Amino acid sequence: MEVNAIPGTGRPASIAVAEDLYGIGRWGCGYFGISPNGNVVVHAPTAAGHTSIELMQIVDGLRARGLDMPVLLRLGNLVDDRIHQLNQAFQKAIEEVGYRSPYRGVFPIKVNQQRHVIAEMARAGAANGHGFEAGSKAELLIALSELSSRESLIVCNGYKDAEFIDLGLQAIRIGFKCFFVLETPQELPAILERARHWGVRPLIGVRLKLSTQVDGHWSNDSGDRSLFGLTTRQLIDIVDRLREEDMLDCLQLLHFHLGSQIPNIRNVREGIREACRYYLDLHEDGAPLGYLNIGGGLAVDYDGSGSNQTNSRNYTLDEYCIDVVEAIADCLDPHGAPHPVIISESGRWTVAPMSVLLFNVLSVSTFDAEPLPDTLPKDLSEPVKCLLDTLQHLRIRRLQENYNDAIYYRDQLRQGFRVGRINLRERALGENICLTILNRIAALVPQLDRPPPELEAMRHQLSDIYLGNFSVFQSLPDAWAIQQVFPVMPLHRLDEVPTRDAIIADLTCDCDGKLDRFVIGGEHVATLKLHEVQEGQEYYLGVFLVGAYQETLGDLHNLFGDTHVANVHVNEQGQLEFVQEIHGDSIADVLSYVEYQPDELYQRFRQLAEQAVREGRISVNQRQEMLSLYSDGLRGYTYFENG
Ligand SMILES: *Cc1c(COP(=O)(O)O)cnc(C)c1O
């Protein structure tokens, strides 16, 4: 395709158009872009600078290694980089504000517990003193075995039983700073009892129930009705109890978590101001404190709008850090209180960019009309004649009226068919004429100043359905459960203008198994711009920013299992390393999750086949063929396989 270069850049103009259309520069966190030949690239940060790798090169590499689509691609470099950026940004803010304590981040394991991710995190964390947040016994066990640096903190949230507490106390014995954050007053007696038993001084934190409420989806994590955190009364009781036990010095940390994905920076500042009031009063009351844990909530700009909307955020990382550090200093300085170590539990922000879901398109359904035949039968029925007449008299000034007519005559046509006056062939002709009318109207609607909502809705009804080789429920559960918008775009052909408007359906064929919320040209819309799929050629799409929460929340709807996972890394020489390929669930795997025994299934099928041999229905050879198909099936991938 002929394209003009953008003056001075040597880059085809079509690439800039595609960048704007899909917004890759707005949501890509600087990691993703488009190469001059129209492929999506990842700019992988390494110690020696950035290396750009085309995702299609990775797709080809995966296919050559026997990994079919769909594949969850994890880009290890991005984890390192994010941990580094987060620590740098806090460090810079601390210097700018003249803050007199350090930052110590912890990664909340629940956001992505996968072994390879946690190992990468521990490695990157060791250089920055970045630790882990554990919300359960299982997560604490992970933290204890993965964390190597004692500079890094462990923060235990969640409701804790004696076993959880015992484990945390062992961590203190080895020399880790492991905090128990009290979510409820009931946890305290158990902590005191177990600490006495082991002869260990516990590090205790309290989770505040702030009245500051945040915008966005997670607004109920804070405020009076939040499930977690202590009321002011409970807090006072805890302080009194600790003083009685002569253990007030163990109360070292204040924690609050306003909710995930906080879109509005104002909420962050308000939360900090409120928490600092607690900090000052408790400090004056004799609790040493020393650590202020501001929870998670650092948001990802999924829609690239930079706004205070649910899928976005109206601040940058630097602004977040400055606001946090400044707000704490501003609150404490007038009272001469010492500056606490700042802990944040940023999960989503840290890992979202790392993962991309890669899948191919299996088929496309369109609602285009067939070309009308040159000659039509003479004795057409009334509804078909009227539809033809409507088609011949389409006028842009009368689109709504033309639309109403088309729908009216189509109803007449269908009614005629139901009562036997119109035959199948004639109905098909009439339906096609109607579809021709609707498509022509749809093409004219964008020219209207104020398109009627009915006509806008009709346009969406006519959009294509691209069938993607993946399951929304398994790989993008938040797209289904909380209508989260993720960036979706083709991985290649971006030097061509996409001509189709489409939604994406998944393999489940469930009416909820689809993607129909996109951001195109900066607007939230119901259809995605895609290229026409060419016969015999694969078309690949990527869903971006899926590294946080999606892997573990995914479920087995329709028994589509875990996808293959590929962990890749770009080394300092700029070479792409396929560090690890993890095969997704086989069909036998998913069947065993729902309590089938694959062996037993096979044996039963074998018996049926054997019986058919005895009855002379099939030959022994055919029996063999069948059984090997069955056992291949059990071993196979749960997604569509290319032969
Ligand atoms: C889930 C959670 C987090 C992580 O929040 P993000 O928005 O992913 O940063 C942090 N702290 C607590 C207590 C949480 O429950």
Side-chain angles (χ1 to χ4, degrees), residues 108 110-111 133 157 183 207 221 228 255-257 259-262 293 295-299 345-350 548-549:
K110 71 155 193 248
V111 184
E133 183 266 356
N157 290 323
E183 311 256 358
R207 176 160 180 172
D221 276 6
F228 307 104
H255 168 54
F256 67 93
H257 171 66
S260 198
Q261 182 70 11
I262 303 173
N293 177 348
L298 178 54
E345 305 176 332
S346 297
R348 180 188 297 279
W349 186 90
T350 314
Y549 297 104

PDB file of all heavy atoms in Angstrom, residues 108 110-111 133 157 183 207 221 228 255-257 259-262 293 295-299 345-350 548-549, ligand 1:
ATOM      1  N   PRO A 108       1.398  -6.842  46.632  1.00  0.00           N
ATOM      2  CA  PRO A 108       0.328  -7.707  47.130  1.00  0.00           C
ATOM      3  C   PRO A 108       0.238  -8.970  46.280  1.00  0.00           C
ATOM      4  O   PRO A 108      -0.107  -8.895  45.096  1.00  0.00           O
ATOM      5  CB  PRO A 108      -0.935  -6.862  46.995  1.00  0.00           C
ATOM      6  CG  PRO A 108      -0.565  -5.644  46.243  1.00  0.00           C
ATOM      7  CD  PRO A 108       0.878  -5.669  45.909  1.00  0.00           C
ATOM      8  N   LYS A 110      -1.764 -11.362  46.004  1.00  0.00           N
ATOM      9  CA  LYS A 110      -3.044 -11.739  45.383  1.00  0.00           C
ATOM     10  C   LYS A 110      -3.210 -11.211  43.958  1.00  0.00           C
ATOM     11  O   LYS A 110      -3.983 -11.749  43.179  1.00  0.00           O
ATOM     12  CB  LYS A 110      -4.215 -11.257  46.237  1.00  0.00           C
ATOM     13  CG  LYS A 110      -4.422  -9.749  46.219  1.00  0.00           C
ATOM     14  CD  LYS A 110      -5.868  -9.352  46.529  1.00  0.00           C
ATOM     15  CE  LYS A 110      -6.086  -7.895  46.197  1.00  0.00           C
ATOM     16  NZ  LYS A 110      -6.311  -7.021  47.303  1.00  0.00           N
ATOM     17  N   VAL A 111      -2.489 -10.165  43.596  1.00  0.00           N
ATOM     18  CA  VAL A 111      -2.704  -9.528  42.296  1.00  0.00           C
ATOM     19  C   VAL A 111      -2.155 -10.387  41.147  1.00  0.00           C
ATOM     20  O   VAL A 111      -2.666 -10.386  40.038  1.00  0.00           O
ATOM     21  CB  VAL A 111      -2.089  -8.117  42.272  1.00  0.00           C
ATOM     22  CG1 VAL A 111      -2.382  -7.405  40.957  1.00  0.00           C
ATOM     23  CG2 VAL A 111      -2.620  -7.299  43.433  1.00  0.00           C
ATOM     24  N   GLU A 133       3.154  -8.293  50.266  1.00  0.00           N
ATOM     25  CA  GLU A 133       1.976  -8.234  51.123  1.00  0.00           C
ATOM     26  C   GLU A 133       1.271  -9.570  50.976  1.00  0.00           C
ATOM     27  O   GLU A 133       1.082 -10.048  49.849  1.00  0.00           O
ATOM     28  CB  GLU A 133       1.049  -7.094  50.686  1.00  0.00           C
ATOM     29  CG  GLU A 133      -0.171  -6.887  51.556  1.00  0.00           C
ATOM     30  CD  GLU A 133      -1.435  -7.605  51.087  1.00  0.00           C
ATOM     31  OE1 GLU A 133      -1.425  -8.237  50.000  1.00  0.00           O
ATOM     32  OE2 GLU A 133      -2.438  -7.550  51.808  1.00  0.00           O
ATOM     33  N   ASN A 157      -1.940  -8.970  55.837  1.00  0.00           N
ATOM     34  CA  ASN A 157      -3.316  -8.491  55.990  1.00  0.00           C
ATOM     35  C   ASN A 157      -4.226  -9.702  56.065  1.00  0.00           C
ATOM     36  O   ASN A 157      -3.773 -10.842  56.032  1.00  0.00           O
ATOM     37  CB  ASN A 157      -3.700  -7.611  54.800  1.00  0.00           C
ATOM     38  CG  ASN A 157      -2.955  -6.278  54.809  1.00  0.00           C
ATOM     39  OD1 ASN A 157      -2.727  -5.701  55.872  1.00  0.00           O
ATOM     40  ND2 ASN A 157      -2.576  -5.805  53.649  1.00  0.00           N
ATOM     41  N   GLU A 183      -7.180  -6.479  61.302  1.00  0.00           N
ATOM     42  CA  GLU A 183      -8.376  -6.070  60.559  1.00  0.00           C
ATOM     43  C   GLU A 183      -9.552  -5.984  61.515  1.00  0.00           C
ATOM     44  O   GLU A 183     -10.514  -5.274  61.265  1.00  0.00           O
ATOM     45  CB  GLU A 183      -8.706  -7.113  59.474  1.00  0.00           C
ATOM     46  CG  GLU A 183      -7.526  -7.517  58.623  1.00  0.00           C
ATOM     47  CD  GLU A 183      -7.545  -6.885  57.248  1.00  0.00           C
ATOM     48  OE1 GLU A 183      -8.489  -6.166  56.934  1.00  0.00           O
ATOM     49  OE2 GLU A 183      -6.575  -7.115  56.498  1.00  0.00           O
ATOM     50  N   ARG A 207      -5.468  -1.612  60.820  1.00  0.00           N
ATOM     51  CA  ARG A 207      -6.089  -1.131  59.588  1.00  0.00           C
ATOM     52  C   ARG A 207      -7.203  -0.157  59.919  1.00  0.00           C
ATOM     53  O   ARG A 207      -8.141  -0.496  60.647  1.00  0.00           O
ATOM     54  CB  ARG A 207      -6.660  -2.301  58.784  1.00  0.00           C
ATOM     55  CG  ARG A 207      -7.389  -1.823  57.539  1.00  0.00           C
ATOM     56  CD  ARG A 207      -7.536  -2.918  56.516  1.00  0.00           C
ATOM     57  NE  ARG A 207      -8.244  -2.434  55.338  1.00  0.00           N
ATOM     58  CZ  ARG A 207      -8.370  -3.146  54.236  1.00  0.00           C
ATOM     59  NH1 ARG A 207      -7.841  -4.348  54.165  1.00  0.00           N
ATOM     60  NH2 ARG A 207      -9.030  -2.673  53.209  1.00  0.00           N
ATOM     61  N   ASP A 221     -14.582  -0.211  49.370  1.00  0.00           N
ATOM     62  CA  ASP A 221     -13.473  -0.668  50.203  1.00  0.00           C
ATOM     63  C   ASP A 221     -13.187   0.319  51.327  1.00  0.00           C
ATOM     64  O   ASP A 221     -12.435   0.038  52.246  1.00  0.00           O
ATOM     65  CB  ASP A 221     -12.197  -0.843  49.356  1.00  0.00           C
ATOM     66  CG  ASP A 221     -12.179  -2.198  48.671  1.00  0.00           C
ATOM     67  OD1 ASP A 221     -13.192  -2.911  48.776  1.00  0.00           O
ATOM     68  OD2 ASP A 221     -11.173  -2.534  48.041  1.00  0.00           O
ATOM     69  N   PHE A 228     -13.675  -4.043  55.971  1.00  0.00           N
ATOM     70  CA  PHE A 228     -12.444  -4.198  56.737  1.00  0.00           C
ATOM     71  C   PHE A 228     -12.121  -2.938  57.527  1.00  0.00           C
ATOM     72  O   PHE A 228     -12.596  -1.865  57.217  1.00  0.00           O
ATOM     73  CB  PHE A 228     -11.273  -4.500  55.793  1.00  0.00           C
ATOM     74  CG  PHE A 228     -11.550  -5.646  54.893  1.00  0.00           C
ATOM     75  CD1 PHE A 228     -11.865  -5.434  53.565  1.00  0.00           C
ATOM     76  CD2 PHE A 228     -11.526  -6.942  55.384  1.00  0.00           C
ATOM     77  CE1 PHE A 228     -12.141  -6.494  52.735  1.00  0.00           C
ATOM     78  CE2 PHE A 228     -11.794  -8.007  54.553  1.00  0.00           C
ATOM     79  CZ  PHE A 228     -12.107  -7.785  53.222  1.00  0.00           C
ATOM     80  N   HIS A 255      -2.301   1.327  58.744  1.00  0.00           N
ATOM     81  CA  HIS A 255      -2.595   0.922  57.369  1.00  0.00           C
ATOM     82  C   HIS A 255      -3.990   1.360  56.972  1.00  0.00           C
ATOM     83  O   HIS A 255      -4.906   1.337  57.780  1.00  0.00           O
ATOM     84  CB  HIS A 255      -2.501  -0.616  57.276  1.00  0.00           C
ATOM     85  CG  HIS A 255      -3.060  -1.192  56.014  1.00  0.00           C
ATOM     86  ND1 HIS A 255      -2.670  -0.777  54.754  1.00  0.00           N
ATOM     87  CD2 HIS A 255      -3.978  -2.164  55.803  1.00  0.00           C
ATOM     88  CE1 HIS A 255      -3.322  -1.476  53.839  1.00  0.00           C
ATOM     89  NE2 HIS A 255      -4.122  -2.318  54.448  1.00  0.00           N
ATOM     90  N   PHE A 256      -4.112   1.792  55.733  1.00  0.00           N
ATOM     91  CA  PHE A 256      -5.452   1.951  55.160  1.00  0.00           C
ATOM     92  C   PHE A 256      -5.375   1.591  53.687  1.00  0.00           C
ATOM     93  O   PHE A 256      -4.297   1.639  53.082  1.00  0.00           O
ATOM     94  CB  PHE A 256      -5.984   3.377  55.353  1.00  0.00           C
ATOM     95  CG  PHE A 256      -5.232   4.418  54.576  1.00  0.00           C
ATOM     96  CD1 PHE A 256      -5.646   4.808  53.308  1.00  0.00           C
ATOM     97  CD2 PHE A 256      -4.099   5.020  55.114  1.00  0.00           C
ATOM     98  CE1 PHE A 256      -4.937   5.767  52.594  1.00  0.00           C
ATOM     99  CE2 PHE A 256      -3.393   5.981  54.392  1.00  0.00           C
ATOM    100  CZ  PHE A 256      -3.811   6.352  53.132  1.00  0.00           C
ATOM    101  N   HIS A 257      -6.486   1.146  53.149  1.00  0.00           N
ATOM    102  CA  HIS A 257      -6.551   0.806  51.723  1.00  0.00           C
ATOM    103  C   HIS A 257      -7.895   1.331  51.239  1.00  0.00           C
ATOM    104  O   HIS A 257      -8.936   0.867  51.685  1.00  0.00           O
ATOM    105  CB  HIS A 257      -6.445  -0.717  51.550  1.00  0.00           C
ATOM    106  CG  HIS A 257      -6.703  -1.192  50.155  1.00  0.00           C
ATOM    107  ND1 HIS A 257      -5.873  -0.882  49.092  1.00  0.00           N
ATOM    108  CD2 HIS A 257      -7.705  -1.946  49.631  1.00  0.00           C
ATOM    109  CE1 HIS A 257      -6.352  -1.443  47.983  1.00  0.00           C
ATOM    110  NE2 HIS A 257      -7.457  -2.086  48.289  1.00  0.00           N
ATOM    111  N   GLY A 259      -9.146   1.243  48.259  1.00  0.00           N
ATOM    112  CA  GLY A 259      -9.770   0.513  47.153  1.00  0.00           C
ATOM    113  C   GLY A 259      -8.799   0.479  45.989  1.00  0.00           C
ATOM    114  O   GLY A 259      -7.849   1.255  45.938  1.00  0.00           O
ATOM    115  N   SER A 260      -9.053  -0.444  45.053  1.00  0.00           N
ATOM    116  CA  SER A 260      -8.170  -0.581  43.905  1.00  0.00           C
ATOM    117  C   SER A 260      -8.530   0.457  42.849  1.00  0.00           C
ATOM    118  O   SER A 260      -9.638   0.986  42.844  1.00  0.00           O
ATOM    119  CB  SER A 260      -8.330  -1.989  43.341  1.00  0.00           C
ATOM    120  OG  SER A 260      -7.245  -2.314  42.529  1.00  0.00           O
ATOM    121  N   GLN A 261      -7.549   0.744  41.955  1.00  0.00           N
ATOM    122  CA  GLN A 261      -7.842   1.589  40.782  1.00  0.00           C
ATOM    123  C   GLN A 261      -8.553   2.874  41.192  1.00  0.00           C
ATOM    124  O   GLN A 261      -9.690   3.135  40.802  1.00  0.00           O
ATOM    125  CB  GLN A 261      -8.688   0.766  39.782  1.00  0.00           C
ATOM    126  CG  GLN A 261      -9.071   1.435  38.469  1.00  0.00           C
ATOM    127  CD  GLN A 261      -7.887   1.643  37.539  1.00  0.00           C
ATOM    128  OE1 GLN A 261      -6.801   1.125  37.758  1.00  0.00           O
ATOM    129  NE2 GLN A 261      -8.063   2.426  36.504  1.00  0.00           N
ATOM    130  N   ILE A 262      -7.858   3.697  41.991  1.00  0.00           N
ATOM    131  CA  ILE A 262      -8.431   4.986  42.408  1.00  0.00           C
ATOM    132  C   ILE A 262      -8.217   5.976  41.267  1.00  0.00           C
ATOM    133  O   ILE A 262      -7.084   6.331  40.948  1.00  0.00           O
ATOM    134  CB  ILE A 262      -7.746   5.521  43.683  1.00  0.00           C
ATOM    135  CG1 ILE A 262      -7.865   4.499  44.810  1.00  0.00           C
ATOM    136  CG2 ILE A 262      -8.333   6.864  44.086  1.00  0.00           C
ATOM    137  CD1 ILE A 262      -7.085   4.863  46.063  1.00  0.00           C
ATOM    138  N   ASN A 293       1.312   2.799  56.088  1.00  0.00           N
ATOM    139  CA  ASN A 293       1.058   1.958  54.915  1.00  0.00           C
ATOM    140  C   ASN A 293      -0.195   2.451  54.205  1.00  0.00           C
ATOM    141  O   ASN A 293      -1.302   2.329  54.733  1.00  0.00           O
ATOM    142  CB  ASN A 293       0.901   0.503  55.395  1.00  0.00           C
ATOM    143  CG  ASN A 293       0.552  -0.442  54.265  1.00  0.00           C
ATOM    144  OD1 ASN A 293       0.206  -0.017  53.169  1.00  0.00           O
ATOM    145  ND2 ASN A 293       0.633  -1.739  54.545  1.00  0.00           N
ATOM    146  N   GLY A 295      -1.626   1.442  51.460  1.00  0.00           N
ATOM    147  CA  GLY A 295      -2.404   0.472  50.688  1.00  0.00           C
ATOM    148  C   GLY A 295      -2.133   0.531  49.198  1.00  0.00           C
ATOM    149  O   GLY A 295      -1.111   1.072  48.754  1.00  0.00           O
ATOM    150  N   GLY A 296      -3.067  -0.021  48.425  1.00  0.00           N
ATOM    151  CA  GLY A 296      -2.918  -0.040  46.964  1.00  0.00           C
ATOM    152  C   GLY A 296      -3.710   1.092  46.348  1.00  0.00           C
ATOM    153  O   GLY A 296      -3.881   2.137  46.965  1.00  0.00           O
ATOM    154  N   GLY A 297      -4.173   0.877  45.139  1.00  0.00           N
ATOM    155  CA  GLY A 297      -5.047   1.856  44.511  1.00  0.00           C
ATOM    156  C   GLY A 297      -4.408   2.654  43.390  1.00  0.00           C
ATOM    157  O   GLY A 297      -5.116   3.290  42.598  1.00  0.00           O
ATOM    158  N   LEU A 298      -3.075   2.640  43.302  1.00  0.00           N
ATOM    159  CA  LEU A 298      -2.394   3.348  42.213  1.00  0.00           C
ATOM    160  C   LEU A 298      -2.930   2.767  40.898  1.00  0.00           C
ATOM    161  O   LEU A 298      -2.824   1.567  40.656  1.00  0.00           O
ATOM    162  CB  LEU A 298      -0.879   3.145  42.348  1.00  0.00           C
ATOM    163  CG  LEU A 298       0.031   3.762  41.292  1.00  0.00           C
ATOM    164  CD1 LEU A 298      -0.218   5.244  41.119  1.00  0.00           C
ATOM    165  CD2 LEU A 298       1.488   3.509  41.650  1.00  0.00           C
ATOM    166  N   ALA A 299      -3.528   3.638  40.089  1.00  0.00           N
ATOM    167  CA  ALA A 299      -4.381   3.132  39.007  1.00  0.00           C
ATOM    168  C   ALA A 299      -3.645   3.016  37.675  1.00  0.00           C
ATOM    169  O   ALA A 299      -2.619   3.642  37.446  1.00  0.00           O
ATOM    170  CB  ALA A 299      -5.597   4.037  38.854  1.00  0.00           C
ATOM    171  N   GLU A 345       1.178  -0.539  48.755  1.00  0.00           N
ATOM    172  CA  GLU A 345       0.895  -1.920  48.327  1.00  0.00           C
ATOM    173  C   GLU A 345       0.355  -1.900  46.898  1.00  0.00           C
ATOM    174  O   GLU A 345      -0.752  -2.347  46.636  1.00  0.00           O
ATOM    175  CB  GLU A 345      -0.151  -2.552  49.255  1.00  0.00           C
ATOM    176  CG  GLU A 345       0.233  -2.516  50.716  1.00  0.00           C
ATOM    177  CD  GLU A 345      -0.864  -3.060  51.643  1.00  0.00           C
ATOM    178  OE1 GLU A 345      -2.055  -2.981  51.289  1.00  0.00           O
ATOM    179  OE2 GLU A 345      -0.513  -3.565  52.718  1.00  0.00           O
ATOM    180  N   SER A 346       1.122  -1.342  45.973  1.00  0.00           N
ATOM    181  CA  SER A 346       0.637  -1.198  44.601  1.00  0.00           C
ATOM    182  C   SER A 346       0.770  -2.506  43.847  1.00  0.00           C
ATOM    183  O   SER A 346       1.876  -2.978  43.606  1.00  0.00           O
ATOM    184  CB  SER A 346       1.427  -0.106  43.883  1.00  0.00           C
ATOM    185  OG  SER A 346       1.191   1.113  44.527  1.00  0.00           O
ATOM    186  N   GLY A 347      -0.350  -3.072  43.482  1.00  0.00           N
ATOM    187  CA  GLY A 347      -0.335  -4.347  42.771  1.00  0.00           C
ATOM    188  C   GLY A 347      -0.641  -4.160  41.301  1.00  0.00           C
ATOM    189  O   GLY A 347       0.172  -4.442  40.416  1.00  0.00           O
ATOM    190  N   ARG A 348      -1.820  -3.650  41.043  1.00  0.00           N
ATOM    191  CA  ARG A 348      -2.304  -3.481  39.673  1.00  0.00           C
ATOM    192  C   ARG A 348      -1.304  -2.708  38.814  1.00  0.00           C
ATOM    193  O   ARG A 348      -0.941  -3.129  37.717  1.00  0.00           O
ATOM    194  CB  ARG A 348      -3.637  -2.735  39.734  1.00  0.00           C
ATOM    195  CG  ARG A 348      -4.289  -2.469  38.413  1.00  0.00           C
ATOM    196  CD  ARG A 348      -5.498  -1.568  38.610  1.00  0.00           C
ATOM    197  NE  ARG A 348      -6.529  -2.179  39.432  1.00  0.00           N
ATOM    198  CZ  ARG A 348      -7.425  -3.058  38.990  1.00  0.00           C
ATOM    199  NH1 ARG A 348      -7.422  -3.422  37.732  1.00  0.00           N
ATOM    200  NH2 ARG A 348      -8.328  -3.576  39.802  1.00  0.00           N
ATOM    201  N   TRP A 349      -0.859  -1.563  39.341  1.00  0.00           N
ATOM    202  CA  TRP A 349       0.043  -0.710  38.576  1.00  0.00           C
ATOM    203  C   TRP A 349       1.344  -1.450  38.240  1.00  0.00           C
ATOM    204  O   TRP A 349       1.922  -1.274  37.175  1.00  0.00           O
ATOM    205  CB  TRP A 349       0.350   0.568  39.390  1.00  0.00           C
ATOM    206  CG  TRP A 349       1.160   1.558  38.613  1.00  0.00           C
ATOM    207  CD1 TRP A 349       0.680   2.552  37.823  1.00  0.00           C
ATOM    208  CD2 TRP A 349       2.591   1.618  38.533  1.00  0.00           C
ATOM    209  NE1 TRP A 349       1.724   3.227  37.253  1.00  0.00           N
ATOM    210  CE2 TRP A 349       2.904   2.688  37.672  1.00  0.00           C
ATOM    211  CE3 TRP A 349       3.634   0.881  39.105  1.00  0.00           C
ATOM    212  CZ2 TRP A 349       4.217   3.036  37.367  1.00  0.00           C
ATOM    213  CZ3 TRP A 349       4.938   1.219  38.791  1.00  0.00           C
ATOM    214  CH2 TRP A 349       5.220   2.291  37.934  1.00  0.00           C
ATOM    215  N   THR A 350       1.771  -2.300  39.170  1.00  0.00           N
ATOM    216  CA  THR A 350       3.060  -2.955  39.017  1.00  0.00           C
ATOM    217  C   THR A 350       3.043  -4.051  37.948  1.00  0.00           C
ATOM    218  O   THR A 350       4.012  -4.210  37.216  1.00  0.00           O
ATOM    219  CB  THR A 350       3.484  -3.573  40.368  1.00  0.00           C
ATOM    220  OG1 THR A 350       3.259  -2.619  41.395  1.00  0.00           O
ATOM    221  CG2 THR A 350       4.931  -3.979  40.364  1.00  0.00           C
ATOM    222  N   ALA A 548      -2.739  -7.949  35.869  1.00  0.00           N
ATOM    223  CA  ALA A 548      -3.230  -7.851  37.244  1.00  0.00           C
ATOM    224  C   ALA A 548      -4.594  -8.506  37.390  1.00  0.00           C
ATOM    225  O   ALA A 548      -5.509  -8.218  36.618  1.00  0.00           O
ATOM    226  CB  ALA A 548      -3.324  -6.384  37.669  1.00  0.00           C
ATOM    227  N   TYR A 549      -4.714  -9.390  38.316  1.00  0.00           N
ATOM    228  CA  TYR A 549      -5.966 -10.031  38.748  1.00  0.00           C
ATOM    229  C   TYR A 549      -6.572 -11.040  37.769  1.00  0.00           C
ATOM    230  O   TYR A 549      -7.310 -11.928  38.195  1.00  0.00           O
ATOM    231  CB  TYR A 549      -7.050  -8.986  39.080  1.00  0.00           C
ATOM    232  CG  TYR A 549      -6.679  -8.080  40.228  1.00  0.00           C
ATOM    233  CD1 TYR A 549      -6.277  -6.773  40.014  1.00  0.00           C
ATOM    234  CD2 TYR A 549      -6.687  -8.552  41.542  1.00  0.00           C
ATOM    235  CE1 TYR A 549      -5.914  -5.935  41.063  1.00  0.00           C
ATOM    236  CE2 TYR A 549      -6.330  -7.715  42.599  1.00  0.00           C
ATOM    237  CZ  TYR A 549      -5.947  -6.415  42.353  1.00  0.00           C
ATOM    238  OH  TYR A 549      -5.593  -5.605  43.391  1.00  0.00           O
TER     239      TYR A 549
HETATM  240  C1  LIG B   1      -6.077  -5.711  46.748  1.00  0.00           C
HETATM  241  C2  LIG B   1      -5.324  -4.949  47.724  1.00  0.00           C
HETATM  242  C3  LIG B   1      -4.206  -4.201  47.319  1.00  0.00           C
HETATM  243  C4  LIG B   1      -3.791  -4.032  45.882  1.00  0.00           C
HETATM  244  O1  LIG B   1      -4.451  -2.965  45.289  1.00  0.00           O
HETATM  245  P1  LIG B   1      -4.020  -2.455  43.834  1.00  0.00           P
HETATM  246  O2  LIG B   1      -5.098  -1.525  43.456  1.00  0.00           O
HETATM  247  O3  LIG B   1      -3.918  -3.644  42.966  1.00  0.00           O
HETATM  248  O4  LIG B   1      -2.729  -1.750  43.961  1.00  0.00           O
HETATM  249  C5  LIG B   1      -3.465  -3.582  48.293  1.00  0.00           C
HETATM  250  N1  LIG B   1      -3.813  -3.688  49.605  1.00  0.00           N
HETATM  251  C6  LIG B   1      -4.892  -4.378  50.023  1.00  0.00           C
HETATM  252  C7  LIG B   1      -5.211  -4.448  51.454  1.00  0.00           C
HETATM  253  C8  LIG B   1      -5.683  -5.022  49.095  1.00  0.00           C
HETATM  254  O5  LIG B   1      -6.761  -5.689  49.504  1.00  0.00           O
END
